[in-house]
Amino acid sequence: MSALVAIPLASALSYFQAVVLGVLQGVSELFPISSLGHTVLFPTLFGWNKLVDAQSQSESFWLALVVMLHVGSALGLLAYFWRDWLALVRAFLRTLAKRSITTSTERLAWLIVLASIPAGIIGLALEHPLRTLTAKPQVAAVFLMVNGLLLLAAERYRRRAQVRELAVREGLNPAGYRKLETMDYREALVIGVAQSSALVAGISRDGVTMGAGLARGMDNSDAARFAFLLATPIILAAGIFKLSDLTGPLGNGIRGQALVACLVAAVTAVFTVAFLVRYFKTRTLIPFAVYCLLFGLAMVIYTST
């Protein structure tokens, strides 16, 4: 806690900065471009030195703020997909009562549960050290470029003949891609492990999840829907688990700002997901991959000078 003394908490984060970070979170959490990477890089780009200093500390208000930003985007997802979540919760409870899975909604509910387990375990074990180690501008910029390469690889792999053959064998949607409901439980567990890479600043949670879905033969629309649904319980659970960071000493001086950032992130996320649901019906990850590569490279150069 001694490191915090050097930063006057009352002025460590302004309400203007909270609004900017909330908008940034609401967009970059759902676009496959890494919200954590952008919340690390943009304070450097804007010259917000107190935020930059807090990012590199093992104990600071920064992690409490990051948690609230993520909770905001999860609340936005929950608001947009509330009908889906109502159906999924009902389906999950039905399976417990009858001890069988018979409908596609029931299967999807269990896919989300299983994919959340490894992400939750890994998050509990590694979240704090990974976020602290990688919350540095140069590191985040490099991993943002890695994220761009992963998105390109996912789009390329989706077009490989064996993936399309798998789609033909296991079930098709009208466009010729594999249906979300045909994902098996082992694949859900693998995607849950892959999702944990979002603990590294620069790697996108939704990008990794979508990429894994594309690699298994799904189209962009189904892969995006699964990514958005899967992200919601993990982020909300992490927010509840880390709420003590905000209510405790680490949250002194920034609680009001963090709440504003959370609300702004939630509202922005609703508009962002509405756009992306339409976007991924016809378009791909390639523009986001190119953006990550170019912006990541630019920030590597900027932070090296």
Side-chain angles (χ1 to χ4, degrees), residues 41-254:
L41 291 171
F42 268 64
T44 299
L45 193 61
F46 293 157
W48 295 345
N49 295 325
K50 290 178 181 177
L51 289 180
V52 175
D53 291 341
Q55 290 168 359
S56 60
Q57 297 174 12
S58 60
E59 296 291 335
S60 75
F61 69 87
W62 175 252
L63 290 179
L65 175 63
V66 167
V67 168
M68 288 303 291
L69 287 169
H70 280 76
V71 168
S73 53
L75 290 174
L77 283 171
L78 195 61
Y80 185 86
F81 287 109
W82 72 269
R83 291 184 180 86
D84 298 70
W85 277 111
L86 188 61
L88 287 167
V89 170
R90 287 174 174 171
F92 177 74
L93 294 176
R94 281 199 306 270
T95 64
L96 296 180
K98 65 184 182 180
R99 297 184 180 181
S100 64
I101 300 172
T102 55
T103 69
S104 60
T105 304
E106 291 171 354
R107 183 177 178 81
L108 178 58
W110 274 100
L111 288 171
I112 292 171
V113 169
L114 289 174
S116 299
I117 292 172
I121 293 173
I122 295 171
L124 285 173
L126 300 177
E127 187 241 2
H128 189 279
L130 280 179
R131 284 192 174 175
T132 302
L133 287 172
T134 63
K136 298 175 177 62
Q138 282 189 317
V139 176
V142 169
F143 276 108
L144 191 62
M145 295 174 66
V146 172
N147 187 70
L149 293 174
L150 290 174
L151 297 181
L152 288 177
E155 286 289 352
R156 180 176 178 82
Y157 191 83
R158 179 170 64 96
R159 293 171 173 81
R160 290 179 57 173
Q162 56 263 46
V163 175
R164 297 304 295 273
E165 289 170 4
L166 178 67
V168 171
R169 188 167 65 249
E170 297 192 14
L172 299 174
N173 65 19
Y177 294 104
R178 185 179 175 190
K179 296 177 182 178
L180 174 58
E181 293 81 4
T182 66
M183 182 189 298
D184 64 39
Y185 298 122
R186 182 181 60 183
E187 289 173 318
L189 287 171
V190 172
I191 289 175
V193 173
Q195 184 188 204
S196 303
S197 62
L199 296 172
V200 175
I203 302 297
S204 166
R205 181 191 313 274
D206 290 331
V208 169
T209 306
M210 282 191 65
L214 295 179
R216 300 310 300 159
M218 286 189 284
D219 66 2
N220 291 86
S221 181
D222 267 0
R225 179 170 177 257
F226 185 64
F228 296 148
L229 291 173
L230 182 57
T232 308
I234 289 292
I235 299 174
L236 284 177
I240 294 171
F241 182 75
K242 289 288 188 178
L243 187 61
S244 59
D245 285 353
L246 188 67
T247 58
L250 295 179
N252 289 343
I254 59 106

